C-alpha cells in the first residue's frame, strides 16, 4: 500500500513536508496546471494517473473533497481513504452561489499572503502557523480561487454512499467543519468509518503532523494485518 497525500486550498505537495508516501499537487497548485471545469471530479480525474493501485488516499480539507470524489469514481483503485478534517459540504449553502464571483477578488485583494496570515492565526503551533503563512504567500491566486470554487460547490452527501472502502476520519475538536452533527451524518452514511477526534484546529498537519501521522500509521497497520 502506498500513501498518497492531497493538500488543502492554496497549499501544495511541498506543504506536507516529510511524509512516508507521495504528495501530489492538485490542479492550479505547485507545478500542476489549472483544469476546467472547476469541480472536485475534474481535479480527481487530473490526478488519476498519479494514484497507484491499492493506494491509501489521504486528503486535507479541499484535498479530502477531491479524495472523496476520486474514491467514488475509482473505488477499485483504493485500499483505503483518510479524511483530515474534511467537511461534507460548505457550511453555508449560499457560499456555493457566491464563491465563483468572490474568490477571484479576495485571492488578489487582500491576496493569498493576507489570507494565510488571517487563517494561520487559528493555528496553535507557532512553527506550523509560520509554515502555513509562507505556503499561502507563495500560492498562485488563480489556482487558489479555483480551489475555493471547488470547495464551495462540493456536495459530499451524494458521494458518501459510494465510499465503501476502509475509511478513517480525523476530526479537529476546534474546527467548525467537522463537529458532532457532521460526525453523526458521516456515521449514518458510512457505518464502517472510524472517527478520531483530535484536540486541535482545522489545519491538523500544521498543528501536529506527528500526531496525525501516528493515527494514519495505526490505521494502515491494522489494514495490513487484516490483509495477511
Amino acid at each position: 500500500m502506498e500513501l498518497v497525500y492531497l493538500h488543502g486550498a492554496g497549499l501544495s505537495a511541498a506543504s506536507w513536508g516529510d511524509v512516508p508516501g507521495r504528495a501530489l499537487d492538485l490542479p492550479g497548485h505547485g507545478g500542476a496546471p489549472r483544469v476546467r471545469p472547476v469541480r472536485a471530479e475534474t481535479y480527481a480525474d487530473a490526478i488519476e494517473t498519479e494514484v497507484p493501485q491499492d493506494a491509501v488516499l489521504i486528503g486535507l480539507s479541499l484535498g479530502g473533497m477531491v479524495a472523496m470524489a476520486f474514491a467514488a469514481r475509482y473505488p477499485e483503485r483504493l485500499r483505503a481513504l483518510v479524511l483530515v478534517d474534511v467537511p461534507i459540504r460548505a457550511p453555508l449553502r449560499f457560499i456555493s452561489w457566491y464563491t465563483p464571483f468572490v474568490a477571484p477578488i479576495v485571492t488578489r485583494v487582500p491576496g493569498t499572503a493576507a489570507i494565510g496570515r488571517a487563517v494561520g492565526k487559528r493555528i496553535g503551533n507557532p512553527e506550523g502557523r509560520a509554515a502555513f503563512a509562507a505556503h499561502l504567500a507563495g500560492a498562485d491566486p488563480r489556482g487558489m480561487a479555483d480551489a475555493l470554487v471547488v470547495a464551495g460547490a462540493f456536495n459530499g452527501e451524494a458521494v458518501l454512499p459510494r465510499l465503501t472502502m476502509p475509511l478513517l476520519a480525523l476530526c479537529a475538536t476546534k474546527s467548525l467543519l467537522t463537529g458532532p452533527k457532521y460526525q453523526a451524518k458521516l456515521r449514518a452514511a458510512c457505518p464502517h468509518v472510524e472517527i478520531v477526534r483530535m484536540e486541535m484546529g482545522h489545519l491538523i498537519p500544521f498543528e501536529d503532523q506527528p500526531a496525525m501521522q501516528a493515527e494514519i500509521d495505526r490505521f494502515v497497520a491494522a489494514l495490513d494485518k487484516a490483509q495477511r
Side-chain angles (χ1 to χ4, degrees):
M1 289 181 285
E2 183 170 1
L3 276 57
V4 179
Y5 296 76
L6 304 181
H7 57 80
L11 300 171
S12 68
S15 65
W16 284 105
D18 186 17
V19 289
R22 189 194 322 178
L24 305 180
D25 283 326
L26 292 175
H29 295 74
R34 298 165 75 194
V35 295
R36 290 291 183 272
V38 184
R39 290 288 183 269
E41 294 78 11
T42 316
Y43 279 34
D45 291 342
I47 63 169
E48 187 267 332
T49 59
E50 299 184 78
V51 178
Q53 185 68 35
D54 290 330
V56 177
L57 196 55
I58 301 158
L60 165 66
S61 195
L62 168 76
M65 295 176 180
V66 177
M68 290 170 67
F70 188 99
R73 292 168 86 79
Y74 309 102
E76 73 287 350
R77 297 281 297 281
L78 300 184
R79 180 67 182 88
L81 184 63
V82 179
L83 304 178
V84 184
D85 211 60
V86 181
I88 295 172
R89 65 184 308 161
L92 299 174
R93 194 159 299 185
F94 72 82
I95 288 177
S96 63
W97 305 335
Y98 292 105
T99 303
F101 306 102
V102 175
I105 298 172
V106 299
T107 51
R108 284 181 168 78
V109 181
T112 60
I115 293 171
R117 290 192 298 271
V119 175
K121 289 180 180 179
R122 300 182 64 87
I123 299 174
N125 177 356
E127 292 183 3
R129 188 185 314 136
F132 177 77
H135 283 296
L136 264 289
D140 182 337
R142 300 170 302 167
M144 186 168 180
D146 289 348
L148 295 177
V149 173
V150 169
F154 182 71
N155 180 5
E157 292 178 1
V159 173
L160 288 178
R162 288 180 277 168
L163 305 184
T164 56
M165 65 289 298
L167 175 60
L168 172 65
L170 303 180
C171 298
T173 57
K174 298 178 183 178
S175 172
L176 301 176
L177 303 174
T178 56
K181 290 183 179 179
Y182 161 87
Q183 294 170 33
K185 184 174 289 188
L186 186 58
R187 280 197 180 97
C190 303
H192 59 289
V193 68
E194 178 185 354
I195 295 177
V196 175
R197 299 172 73 251
M198 306 193 75
E199 300 294 327
M200 57 189 74
H202 171 60
L203 293 163
I204 290 175
F206 294 93
E207 292 275 11
D208 193 338
Q209 182 158 320
M212 177 200 74
Q213 192 60 51
E215 291 293 347
I216 295 172
D217 290 345
R218 175 194 56 76
F219 176 69
V220 170
L223 292 176
D224 188 51
K225 183 178 181 180
Q227 198 172 29
R228 290 176 185 174

